[in-house]
Amino acid sequence: MISRTDVFTDSWPPTELPNRNDELEHLSRRLGPTTHGYEGEDVLIYGSSGVGKTATTRHFLTRKLPAYSEAAWAEIHCGDKTRNMLLKEAAAKHPDDVTVHLNWKPRRLKAALERVVDGKPYILVLDEADSIADHEILADLADVEGVSVIVIVHDSTEWLGNLNNAVIGNFGIDSTIRFAPYSTDELVEILEPRIRKGLNYDAFSNDQLKRIGDETNGVARYGIKAVWAAAEIATKRGNDTVTDADIDDCFKRAKVKMREANLKSLSYSHRVIYELARRLGPTVDKSVLESAYNTHCEEIYADRHRDPVGWRQVRNYLEKLEKYDLIERKGMTRDRRYKVTDPGLKASIDLDFVFLTA
């Protein structure tokens, strides 16, 4: 039944992007100055996980922007990267050649970025920007003539609250784009082309797709994974088409797929904290987790060419893990515990040297 699996992954670039015309138009307005060789305006994109923030941004930059602008652009996954790491990547990903080194001071890295940009339009996509620990990077980028940023976060209010007065003015109401979940009919319209490309024939009825749209609350990533999971279940059961029973059983499998993809997409530090919680758990007290991390953080980061992140930043990572349905928080702050959602899901992190005790 399944002829292609790549069309059901997050990385597959759709030819058309239905039901995001307003968002695409907003991006076009903000970056319109690049048409004339000027710096674009900054953009803040926010919304819950899986509603198409990154996919829409990539679609705009790869399919819409080249029709009217020659602006260079690059995507940076912020993860747990330091200010130096982000500056180095911003310069290194520019289409023109530039030599930069991570051990340079921020001022020197910023100067290298200024030289390679040379005042021409350069758009930087800062994906997963919730994870940025040192927001001085926003001031660095704002100072470089020609550079504009598209910042992608989950919660705009929380993110803006961490900025200083020097850059917060760049992200006013006109620069902000909220991505809401799709309606059921809109999500069905997104699912249909993937089904045509990924399955050998029309395996789903329209009513079944509407049910998937309803059950997944308009979250595109969840809906796409549910279609994929239902087709896998139907194939395993020897069904020629997807049955209602296959739909019944697809949502649990789809959530597993989402958690696997989410965990894989996260930074080293996120995966370290997840794996520590998993090995100590499946439910672990905050104090036990904090003690284990503080005891072993120097070993954990020994080969990472950076200092360990502090526990305050680890708390931010735990919040991201919760948003990605990888852990659950239980109890109040003083007695907080963390429960791993799927203890069988392992992170690709080597922690064999860590001797954990509950």
Side-chain angles (χ1 to χ4, degrees), residues 193-219:
R194 296 189 185 241
I195 291 170
R196 287 195 297 270
K197 289 181 179 294
L199 304 181
N200 293 330
Y201 39 79
D202 293 333
F204 291 82
S205 70
N206 191 59
D207 286 344
Q208 288 174 331
L209 291 181
K210 285 189 174 183
R211 182 185 169 195
I212 287 175
D214 287 339
E215 292 279 351
T216 58
N217 296 315
V219 175

Side-chain angles (χ1 to χ4, degrees), residues 111-127:
L113 179 61
E114 289 173 337
R115 286 195 302 273
V116 73
V117 173
D118 193 26
K120 300 180 180 67
Y122 183 35
I123 303 165
L124 283 172
V125 180
L126 303 181
D127 200 5

Side-chain angles (χ1 to χ4, degrees), residues 304-322:
R304 305 303 295 184
H305 306 291
R306 59 163 297 170
D307 294 330
V309 299
W311 183 253
R312 181 177 180 180
Q313 182 66 9
V314 169
R315 292 202 302 268
N316 294 334
Y317 295 156
L318 287 164
E319 290 180 7
K320 173 59 88 42
L321 291 170
E322 183 180 15

